[in-house]
Amino acid sequence: MLFALTKGKFGSWMMSWVCRCLVALGFIAASLITVPAQQRPLVTEDVDIIKPGIIRIESGVEFLQNQEFPLSGLRGDLTRLGDTRLSFGLAANVEFQIEWTVRNFLSIDSRSPAAIPLDLGATFKDTNDVGDARLWMKIKLRNESRIAPSLGFRFGVELPNSNQARGIGTNTTNFYGMVTAGKHVLNNKLNVFGNLGLGILTSPLSATTQNDVLLYGLAGIYTLNDRVNLVGEVNGFHSTRTHAPLGTEDFSEARLGAQIRALGLRWNAAGVFGLSKRAPKTGFSLGFTYDWDAFNPIK
């Protein structure tokens, strides 16, 4: 597979480095202390809230092959560096989150007519841009019982930080709201959780036009042993309009991977598989999670 920033001499070094890291993690995980569970590399949101006073730092990289950007007419291999989330435990049932990607790099494989003026790199073979930031508030409404699942609500806004002329982002303000639900089964070894909600996406070509999309996600985390979890999900959104405005079309993908606890961190890796036309064909994600006991919550 060809990925952005993984071609030529640099690409050989990058792939070699990634393989060495994965092998090292496999050996390390067998001998170190355990720490609490995590969610990354999954996108579907769990119902559970981190403890008050904790700041959870999650970051990593993603390499996504053959992704389409209908607004700019570009298609290529996307590298997401510093794909980051900060989660703040504010109360026993309230969590605040900030998400953003430090830099997106797109290696352009093909171009079709663009709906907007573009300002690409000097060679027109690649482009890069900052990611759009998202602010979320997450509330847990009830704990799960022996029969009923836990329930919660999550809502947030996406800010227009990107420059659409770079061909990657849409530079629009969007709103999201979803119900979250979860249940532990198989003697608590399997945590199954899902999201269902509504996204209001601004049309990049007309600020007075929007597309209401159905948000969905279904995920599971299986505890293989004290240090390793297996994870998987299907996540995305579906347009409620037959002819969706450019940049708001259906997007769906599946992820399958693992979480490894080692060196006081929680490492994760997953394969990414596109399920819609606009999604990447394949890819992989690598990252880590760290819980920082940062402050004393107000009681």
Side-chain angles (χ1 to χ4, degrees), residues 125-152:
K125 293 182 179 180
D126 57 71
T127 184
N128 66 88
D129 194 12
V130 67
D132 292 323
R134 294 184 180 184
L135 307 179
W136 297 95
M137 186 64 73
K138 177 180 171 183
I139 304 170
K140 188 174 185 179
L141 301 177
R142 59 158 289 166
N143 293 320
E144 69 176 276
S145 64
R146 187 177 64 87
I147 298 176
S150 57
L151 293 174

Side-chain angles (χ1 to χ4, degrees), residues 230-291:
L230 302 180
V231 301
E233 73 172 351
V234 174
N235 184 280
F237 60 82
H238 175 71
S239 172
T240 58
R241 299 176 59 170
T242 304
H243 300 289
L246 280 175
T248 66
E249 299 88 350
D250 291 358
F251 188 94
S252 180
E253 63 181 22
R255 296 187 176 218
L256 183 63
Q259 302 167 342
I260 302 173
R261 303 164 178 83
L263 294 175
L265 299 175
R266 285 152 289 166
W267 307 90
N268 59 81
V272 181
F273 309 93
L275 303 178
S276 65
K277 179 181 178 181
R278 190 160 69 96
K281 183 178 180 181
T282 55
F284 64 90
S285 172
L286 299 172
F288 72 90
T289 299
Y290 175 71
D291 284 352

Side-chain angles (χ1 to χ4, degrees), residues 58-110:
E58 299 175 276
S59 190
V61 297
E62 293 190 354
F63 303 93
L64 307 172
Q65 180 193 36
N66 198 26
Q67 183 163 341
E68 179 181 351
F69 298 86
L71 182 65
S72 62
L74 302 180
R75 177 185 289 273
D77 302 334
L78 181 67
T79 302
R80 305 177 65 194
L81 296 181
D83 184 37
T84 302
R85 175 199 279 189
L86 298 180
S87 302
F88 302 81
L90 302 182
N93 68 328
V94 179
E95 181 179 324
F96 176 70
Q97 302 167 342
I98 305 173
E99 296 178 341
W100 78 96
T101 301
V102 175
R103 207 71 187 175
N104 291 312
F105 294 87
L106 179 65
S107 177
I108 301 171
D109 291 333
S110 65

Side-chain angles (χ1 to χ4, degrees), residues 202-228:
T202 303
S203 170
L205 299 180
S206 175
T208 60
T209 302
Q210 69 184 44
N211 186 17
D212 298 334
V213 299
L214 175 68
L215 308 174
Y216 60 87
L218 180 63
I221 300 177
Y222 181 77
T223 302
L224 189 63
N225 54 49
D226 290 340
R227 299 175 179 85
V228 180

